[in-house]
Amino acid sequence: MAAFRNPIHEPVRSHNGHIHELFRRHHENPILTAADWPYAANTVFNPAATRLADGTTLLLCRVEDRRGISHLTAARSQNGIRNWQIDPTPTLMPDEGPGSDECWGIEDPRITFLDEFQSYAVTYTGFAHAGPHVKIAMTKDFVEFERLGSIMPPDDKDAALFPTRIGGRWALIHRPVSPFQEAADIWISYSPDLVHWGNHQVLLEARRGAWWDAAKVGLNPPPLRTEEGWLLFYHGVRRHASGSLYRLGIALLDLEDPTKIIRRGNDWVFGPEEHYERVGDVRDVVFPCGYTLSDDNQSINMYYGAADTSIALAFASIPEILEWLLTQH
Ligand code: BMA
């Protein structure tokens, strides 16, 4: 595996002098914008991330064109910060044919490497007349994709797989929306084969009322296995007079039974502060869809969409995150 210098040692910025910030932004943020793209694009944001076997960082970026339709394009870099090699044409295009269930685009991918298949599973949102819904495709190289189709009907999004079976079954976290309630909660479902899903249940509820995660919660990057449990990074949305605020929160799920929540942080841990996070096509949004880990697995490099316009990078120490969570009451 190629040497990978942990970018956490580069200068980083942390704002709030009164609160110990778990995440530190890279000083070159945003690290990717539409101006870097080899072809015309409106915005690039909400990337999935993984490290390939040779150590290369791969981002599968959501690219919105000037019609408003999104597709996915891969960007590769040796250090995960700069010198990105961006595919010269879209890597995965929506099927825009008549009757297609993704005629308005494909959005917000998450990548999970499945040991069992030695393949990457990409879960993403297909968008069409019936609403957003969860789709899955398998790939070994981010060149050829095998599309397994739609696995959750509309309105459903923000889905990612766990990397291994749990109790013999695949598990998927996702976020359906019900017309019967104003808030939207995170759900978990199970499958024997990645295609047929059942045993649906609520996993984590939006907290309603004045909370930062009152209105909607949804998974961000795929769950991360740690010794203490599965780390769940999720966005909380609070609606207010001038729009919605997207911030990041953390919970810890039991390794054997992820429906058991060991801890849920009360405070949000990352939110829009910098200009590129506050101002853009959709203001006040930080939206990570992926991370990579440092060589020693002790820190997380989180890639996130900023204001639905650009791609940025922030770092956190996994032991610090766990310590923070486990001392929450
Ligand atoms: C969510 C998702 C994200 C987007 C966010 C803010 O519902 O659709 O793609 O970043 O809204 O617009």
Side-chain angles (χ1 to χ4, degrees):
M1 186 178 276
F4 182 78
R5 194 161 53 93
N6 186 352
I8 204 157
H9 299 306
E10 298 206 350
V12 288
R13 248 194 240 169
S14 174
H15 259 333
N16 194 324
H18 306 287
I19 296 173
H20 174 68
E21 299 286 0
L22 290 175
F23 284 93
R24 294 166 290 271
R25 292 168 174 80
H26 195 271
H27 68 290
E28 289 171 32
N29 278 349
I31 57 164
L32 280 168
T33 73
D36 300 311
W37 239 244
Y39 56 90
N42 174 45
T43 45
V44 297
F45 56 115
N46 299 6
T50 193
R51 276 180 76 192
L52 304 174
D54 68 356
T56 304
T57 296
L58 178 139
L59 301 184
L60 191 60
C61 308
R62 172 175 172 188
V63 181
E64 191 185 283
D65 65 26
R66 288 180 68 161
R67 296 173 303 164
I69 311 281
S70 293
H71 61 266
L72 309 180
T73 292
R76 296 170 176 83
S77 156
Q78 285 315 306
N79 65 7
I81 302 170
R82 49 186 93 82
N83 299 325
W84 294 95
Q85 305 296 315
I86 303 168
D87 282 356
T89 54
T91 309
L92 193 63
M93 276 296 277
D95 168 9
E96 295 186 49
S100 161
D101 63 4
E102 51 190 38
C103 63
W104 291 337
I106 53 176
E107 306 177 350
D108 300 355
R110 276 83 166 177
I111 298 170
T112 306
F113 186 74
L114 306 184
D115 266 336
E116 189 175 320
F117 300 121
Q118 288 296 299
S119 279
Y120 299 92
V122 183
T123 43
Y124 57 98
T125 305
F127 191 23
H129 297 74
H133 57 114
V134 179
K135 307 199 81 169
I136 184 167
M138 303 295 293
T139 184
K140 286 188 186 292
D141 53 12
F142 294 92
V143 178
E144 303 285 331
F145 292 82
E146 184 193 355
R147 295 179 191 236
L148 303 185
S150 183
I151 54 170
M152 290 291 160
D155 179 340
D156 204 328
K157 54 163 63 172
D158 299 325
L161 287 166
F162 288 74
T164 50
R165 291 178 190 256
I166 298 174
R169 299 177 301 175
W170 297 108
L172 181 87
I173 297 180
H174 58 114
R175 207 284 308 286
V177 173
S178 159
F180 290 97
Q181 54 179 21
E182 280 195 12
D185 307 318
I186 295 175
W187 287 57
I188 188 167
S189 302
Y190 293 90
S191 170
D193 59 7
L194 295 177
V195 175
H196 303 92
W197 292 88
N199 299 95
H200 313 291
Q201 53 193 295
V202 174
L203 178 65
L204 194 95
E205 291 190 331
R207 277 187 274 212
R208 277 80 169 168
W211 281 87
W212 67 271
D213 52 0
K216 288 200 280 189
V217 289
L219 181 74
N220 276 115
L224 172 64
R225 192 187 171 96
T226 72
E227 281 175 11
E228 306 290 342
W230 295 103
L231 261 181
L232 180 85
F233 299 93
Y234 71 96
H235 57 274
V237 181
R238 182 180 181 182
R239 296 200 184 96
H240 53 84
S242 57
S244 294
L245 247 166
Y246 279 73
R247 300 188 183 108
L248 190 73
I250 313 179
L252 191 64
L253 314 178
D254 187 83
L255 284 177
E256 310 295 320
D257 178 4
T259 63
K260 287 190 191 140
I261 296 175
I262 300 169
R263 285 294 157 84
R264 177 180 185 173
N266 282 331
D267 296 358
W268 50 269
V269 294
F270 192 70
E273 287 178 13
E274 298 286 348
H275 187 262
Y276 55 87
E277 298 161 349
R278 301 222 53 204
V279 177
D281 273 9
V282 183
R283 57 175 303 132
D284 290 326
V285 181
V286 290
F287 203 93
C289 287
Y291 50 73
T292 59
L293 299 180
S294 56
D295 282 337
D296 61 2
N297 290 335
Q298 294 298 295
S299 56
I300 178 172
N301 312 312
M302 182 180 78
Y303 295 90
Y304 62 101
D308 283 11
T309 298
S310 62
I311 292 173
L313 172 60
F315 313 104
S317 143
I318 295 169
E320 268 187 38
I321 291 176
L322 290 171
E323 189 193 335
W324 180 83
L325 257 180
L326 293 169
T327 51
Q328 292 273 298
H329 298 292

